[in-house]
Amino acid sequence: MTTAQAAAPAGPGRYRGFAFAFSAYLLWGFLPFYMKAVAHISPYEVVAHRVLWSVPITAAILLALGGFSGFLTVFRQPRTLAMGFLTASLISVNWAIYVWAIGSGRALESALGYFINPLVNVALGTIFLGERLTRAQVFAVALAVFGVGLMTVESGGLPWVSLALALSFGVYGYLKKTLPIGPTEGFLLEVVLISPLAMIYIGWLAFMGTGHFAGTGAVTTSSDTLLLAASGLVTAVPLILFVYGARLLRYSTIGLMQYMAPSMIFLTAVFVFHEPFSVGKLIAFMFIWAALIVYTATMFTGRKA
């Protein structure tokens, strides 16, 4: 989930970067509470509103930063548009799985997915970019694979939610690097490209009388309308905070902070949502955490993970 400069600015810039990134991860860590609040709504409807409401918020921020005119030139670049649609599709799949997982009592599996995401990034770099793994990184990946194997045995089936979240976000991040525009412009491009599909789906729900927004269905409530309208803020604000934080911090600092959100999700799942957490699952998570410790240590040895 991370891209950052190798060297971070000193002084106030670094502290601003930490504040931005910390705020982003804190908001992501509290995101399960929002997802629980909309658990009675179809994940597809929630994702459609996340897409639609993210457009004006991100556009307003980009306009305030003076980058909107440059963004418009993207629509004369067919290859960029095609890649943007692909990354938009991937992040939409990721969102839908996450919304469904939290609402279905699988927050623990969601946390596991985002814990193993950095190791998926390592694997993708090895497979598609020809990056060579250090021995420590190979050991970290092996520990993670063993931990996932234990979780499979303990759960009686492959933790597909965890793997789907990790793989979809990992491939999204990998492909996102090929977009020849900035992160904020890239996110706006993604939500703009799939917003017509979101509008069609929301319109269809309204026509069928099954929507949850602004009186478009028999089950609509004012709280549902407010929650869905807030989905843009919930989606766009932490992402944009993260983008600006990552630009002002070292790679290793962001690498450590990325475990903050899944840690909060894990604690929320166990102590707030009271999801079943057996000794077997604890052992599986311990292998994952050990893998992350080994992986994180490589950041301080001069080797970029």
Side-chain angles (χ1 to χ4, degrees):
M1 184 188 289
T2 61
T3 52
Q5 297 173 346
R14 184 177 63 227
Y15 297 125
R16 286 200 307 272
F18 182 86
F20 285 143
F22 181 86
S23 299
Y25 284 118
L26 189 66
L27 290 172
W28 277 327
F30 281 116
L31 192 55
F33 291 100
Y34 173 82
M35 296 307 173
K36 277 291 187 183
V38 296
H40 61 288
I41 303 174
S42 163
Y44 305 112
E45 186 175 0
V46 174
V47 170
H49 278 278
R50 290 186 76 176
V51 169
L52 204 57
W53 291 100
S54 292
V55 173
I57 293 171
T58 311
I61 292 172
L62 191 59
L63 187 63
L65 295 173
F68 200 80
S69 58
F71 166 76
L72 295 177
T73 63
V74 173
F75 292 91
R76 297 195 295 269
Q77 303 170 15
R79 184 182 180 280
T80 302
L81 291 175
M83 187 59 69
F85 188 81
L86 180 57
T87 57
S89 300
L90 280 168
I91 197 60
S92 297
V93 169
N94 181 273
W95 287 349
I97 294 171
Y98 185 69
V99 173
W100 174 84
I102 299 297
S104 302
R106 296 193 173 194
L108 269 176
E109 291 184 50
S110 301
L112 177 63
Y114 290 114
F115 273 130
I116 65 178
N117 176 248
L119 302 171
V120 169
N121 292 339
V122 171
L124 289 173
T126 304
I127 296 170
F128 295 107
L129 300 179
E131 297 176 355
R132 297 183 62 183
L133 297 182
T134 65
R135 292 180 179 178
Q137 289 170 339
V138 171
F139 182 55
V141 171
L143 285 172
V145 170
F146 189 75
V148 171
L150 285 178
M151 185 67 77
T152 299
V153 173
E154 174 64 23
S155 303
L158 198 67
W160 69 268
V161 170
S162 306
L163 296 176
L165 287 172
L167 286 172
S168 59
F169 200 83
V171 176
Y172 168 76
Y174 169 77
L175 293 176
K176 183 102 171 177
K177 293 180 181 180
T178 66
L179 285 176
I181 53 179
T184 306
E185 292 90 337
F187 178 69
L188 179 58
L189 175 64
E190 289 165 354
V191 291
V192 164
L193 288 175
I194 57 175
S195 60
L197 295 176
M199 291 178 67
I200 291 171
Y201 182 69
I202 293 171
W204 180 77
L205 290 177
F207 176 77
M208 297 297 293
T210 57
H212 289 77
F213 183 78
T216 57
V219 292
T220 303
T221 66
S222 58
S223 61
D224 287 343
T225 298
L226 290 173
L227 284 168
L228 290 172
S231 61
L233 289 171
V234 167
T235 302
V237 170
L239 184 65
I240 293 169
L241 284 171
F242 167 77
V243 166
Y244 287 99
R247 288 179 176 178
L248 296 170
L249 292 174
R250 290 183 180 274
Y251 181 88
S252 56
T253 303
I254 285 291
L256 286 173
M257 293 181 72
Q258 70 183 324
Y259 306 132
M260 178 177 164
S263 297
M264 291 177 64
I265 297 170
F266 171 84
L267 293 172
T268 300
V270 175
F271 297 107
V272 180
F273 298 160
H274 303 293
E275 293 187 8
F277 189 59
S278 63
V279 174
K281 287 184 179 179
L282 175 60
I283 295 172
F285 266 93
M286 288 177 69
F287 273 94
I288 301 296
W289 292 329
L292 293 176
I293 291 171
V294 173
Y295 163 77
T296 305
T298 65
M299 296 179 182
F300 300 96
T301 61
R303 301 182 182 91
K304 198 172 182 179

